Amino acid sequence: MAFQQVTIVGTGLIGGSLGLAFKQHDLAARVVGCDRADVLDEARRLGAIDSGQTELKPACAGSDLIVLALPVGGIIDSIGRLADAVTENVLVTDVGSTKREICGAAMKVWGEKAAERFLPGHPMAGKAESGIANASAELFRGAPWLFTPLSQPLAPKASAFLSAIEQIGARPMMCDAAEHDRTCAYVSHLPQMLATALANVVDEMANTQPPAEQLAGAGLRSMTRLAASPYAMWRDIALTNADNLADAILKMEQKLAHLRENLKSPELRAEFERAQAARAMLK
Amino acid sequence: MAFQQVTIVGTGLIGGSLGLAFKQHDLAARVVGCDRADVLDEARRLGAIDSGQTELKPACAGSDLIVLALPVGGIIDSIGRLADAVTENVLVTDVGSTKREICGAAMKVWGEKAAERFLPGHPMAGKAESGIANASAELFRGAPWLFTPLSQPLAPKASAFLSAIEQIGARPMMCDAAEHDRTCAYVSHLPQMLATALANVVDEMANTQPPAEQLAGAGLRSMTRLAASPYAMWRDIALTNADNLADAILKMEQKLAHLRENLKSPELRAEFERAQAARAMLK
């Protein structure tokens, strides 16, 4: 067993999927969940946790691994509340979508012990539909799991966690927290903002005949799928990565203006050909 | 049999799929294709056509239905070249993605006979991957097929065509050509431009570590899938719907600027909640 007792704080889509995967691969003797009582009931019923606790500190008591699987604001809040509760031989890790503010909070709370106590992480896995009901032990298979360690080499518990997530199919990658936040603004946060914006632009058209929603094809549907994502998670991402995300959105505005000004020029061909080549790289 | 002999001009994804569907439902005694020789060979091999002709006029000789399944520019060109070849009891229809310029070309060529000779149409079906190799008899099932008739009531052949496409699963809808072009700018052409722009914005980032393409998740992939679409088709759409498309792109730029300016304000919540509700309508 990699870990004796794991506490997963937040047993929604990510936390619940991690619980299912850890149990399926026998990576922990016992998995404790911390969430609302009704979510914990569902997580236990699905086999994602062995037991649940609605209060943070009791949920973490006696665990050698604590996974904070909350929106970024909740992670920062939990780090503050767990400050004294995390002793030697306990590793705290998180799954937050932005990393600079989380790393800053950990360093403020744990000082020179921060690198030993806390491994900042971000699994690049998800679904438009959140919640424990959509959890799956296979969610992380093939997905990058980024880490922005506070120092290297990693502490032994942190290395054990990397090895555990490799066993559930994830691909650990190391990077700098600032680099992480900038890259994710483009590859993850910008697509979300585009889907939200497009759904609203189409919705705000004056009444059309036939109604626009009856004409939605596969293209519009795939381009707005992310608009179903929960706001609570995105509010924290926007708050903690506003600088990078504003840059990315502005670049997109400029690119759209360029296309708009070249609808009848050969430059449109060049943009399409570059995009086809770039898209082929993403497959 | 609804038709004795159908000529499909352009046996790619749409034309090839229509040939397969017409043959599967016994809607024509004979289907003739018109395209490059190698495309015709493949269309015949797949059973989308009975025979092929690389020249337009010989391909159309003796047919009572001619379907122009080309990009918009090719449709307009074909209407001009077929002007005198279309006699009484022959219906020409098309599948062009924009309708105002095509309707204008038909009225110029056929004058007061235009409504009898030509039924402007637009099946809202497609795939990011074009070509006869991706054709399917099921492509039109459940898809809207918009018509912008030059006058009503429809001529008997036009009614027969509507009934035929209902038999292959499409949902015919009537609208005005100007309304069609405006609505399609939002529900179809704007999503394409966004996918192309996003693929290029991500590609144009300075080198990142780990490389952005390794971090592409389901979100970015679904948001750039359309960037693989063929330029030849989109060039003609941009040329013949530049006014509406420019309006739609500009509205998108304004919406993005609004989100960018509200990343830390409660207005972001309002935009997310409106987008979730709008997205739910598209399902």
Side-chain angles (χ1 to χ4, degrees), chain B residues 75 156 251:
Chain B
I75 292 168
K251 287 221 170 58

Side-chain angles (χ1 to χ4, degrees), chain B residues 21-103:
Chain B
F22 260 57
K23 292 194 60 74
Q24 193 173 92
H25 290 82
D26 277 331
L27 291 165
R30 183 176 162 79
V31 178
V32 180
C34 179
D35 210 309
R36 291 199 324 258
D38 59 319
V39 177
L40 291 173
D41 285 346
E42 179 76 352
R44 200 163 28 219
R45 199 182 63 75
L46 294 172
I49 59 173
D50 295 300
S51 65
Q53 266 284 351
T54 56
E55 293 298 320
L56 181 65
K57 283 196 184 177
C60 295
S63 288
D64 51 347
L65 174 67
I66 299 168
V67 182
L68 305 175
L70 300 168
V72 173
I75 292 168
I76 291 171
D77 181 55
S78 299
I79 288 172
R81 290 162 63 203
L82 286 173
D84 304 325
V86 180
T87 54
E88 229 157 308
N89 292 319
V90 177
L91 177 73
V92 181
T93 187
D94 80 305
V95 304
S97 307
T98 66
K99 298 266 63 95
R100 286 173 299 171
E101 293 206 14
I102 288 171
C103 291

